[in-house]
Amino acid sequence: MSYELDPLPYEYDALEPHLSEQVLTWHHDTHHQGYVNGWNSAEETLSENREAGDFSSSAGALRNVTHNGSGHVLHDLFWQNMSPEGGDEPSGALADRIEADFGSYDAWRGEFEAAASAAGGWALLVYDSFSNQLRNVVVDKHDQGALWGSHPILALDVWEHSYYHDYGPARGEFVENFFAVVDWEEPAARYEAAVELFE
């Protein structure tokens, strides 16, 4: 199986002024494409090693699968949970669950922003199927700090390449402006699909 980079679900300039056309072009076409290429390369190495019966480079390739594969999956989520029509708060079942698990939307958002300020990669809102609740998690790189059995609902990329061109070192300003383009329709659908599997 070969993985491919899907096009953005909107034009490259559609999220301006919050995310510039230049950043989306670099981020999607270069950085995200790099994770897709890295995942495909790692899978090819593993396949060749299995055929040859030589596993001397397999451990590195396995690490590349989790790093690049997670990078690809999380970037897909990141693009999908934003849109030019974003900016509202969640509604419906997801809003009710955020209030139940965090006390309020503001409490959830404050904790999520704290995760974004600490992360060396990603801040995620996930549905934890083991504990049957929503959680915020801090994920370094793409695959360090993830919680087994959890399903990402909302993804925010805080690698420097996602904001430095537009915001310089002001990561907090970038995070604040992210909420101006969050489109909760997609995270709500992911939440409902995850709950159907486990509740």
Side-chain angles (χ1 to χ4, degrees):
M1 177 177 183
S2 183
Y3 301 96
E4 296 183 358
L5 178 64
D6 290 331
L8 286 175
Y10 32 76
E11 297 299 321
Y12 288 91
D13 63 354
L15 304 182
E16 291 189 338
H18 310 291
L19 290 168
S20 70
E21 178 180 4
Q22 183 63 78
V23 166
L24 261 64
T25 301
W26 284 335
H27 195 169
H28 179 268
D29 295 1
T30 301
H31 290 281
H32 190 171
Q33 182 67 63
Y35 300 125
V36 174
N37 295 345
W39 193 1
N40 285 328
S41 177
E43 295 285 13
E44 185 176 337
T45 297
L46 291 172
S47 179
E48 290 171 355
N49 289 356
R50 291 171 191 141
E51 279 188 38
D54 176 6
F55 302 100
S56 58
S57 63
S58 292
L62 290 167
R63 287 189 179 94
N64 284 334
V65 166
T66 58
H67 176 76
N68 290 292
S70 296
H72 179 33
V73 169
L74 291 175
H75 276 92
D76 267 352
L77 295 178
F78 180 55
W79 306 131
Q80 292 167 24
N81 61 210
M82 297 184 293
S83 86
E85 290 78 40
D88 293 332
E89 294 184 9
S91 60
L94 178 56
D96 293 343
R97 191 58 177 269
I98 286 173
E99 184 166 350
D101 289 346
F102 294 93
S104 67
Y105 171 80
D106 288 341
W108 164 76
R109 180 166 165 174
E111 186 177 286
F112 186 84
E113 289 177 351
S117 72
W122 296 84
L124 303 177
L125 170 64
V126 302
Y127 173 71
D128 170 8
S129 63
F130 185 83
S131 301
N132 184 29
Q133 68 182 75
L134 293 174
R135 293 187 186 275
N136 290 317
V137 295
V138 175
V139 176
D140 294 324
K141 299 191 176 178
H142 301 305
D143 51 357
Q144 298 173 14
L147 181 66
W148 293 109
S150 67
H151 300 266
I153 303 300
L154 180 75
L156 170 56
D157 186 346
V158 290
W159 287 74
E160 288 186 351
H161 62 244
S162 67
Y163 67 88
Y164 218 85
H165 176 75
D166 290 340
Y167 296 94
R171 182 191 289 196
E173 186 180 349
F174 163 67
V175 172
E176 180 76 20
N177 283 315
F178 167 72
F179 285 98
V181 293
V182 171
D183 188 332
W184 285 99
E185 185 175 338
E186 181 69 26
R190 283 200 292 270
Y191 165 71
E192 290 173 14
V195 167
E196 276 186 26
L197 289 173
F198 295 102
E199 285 193 343

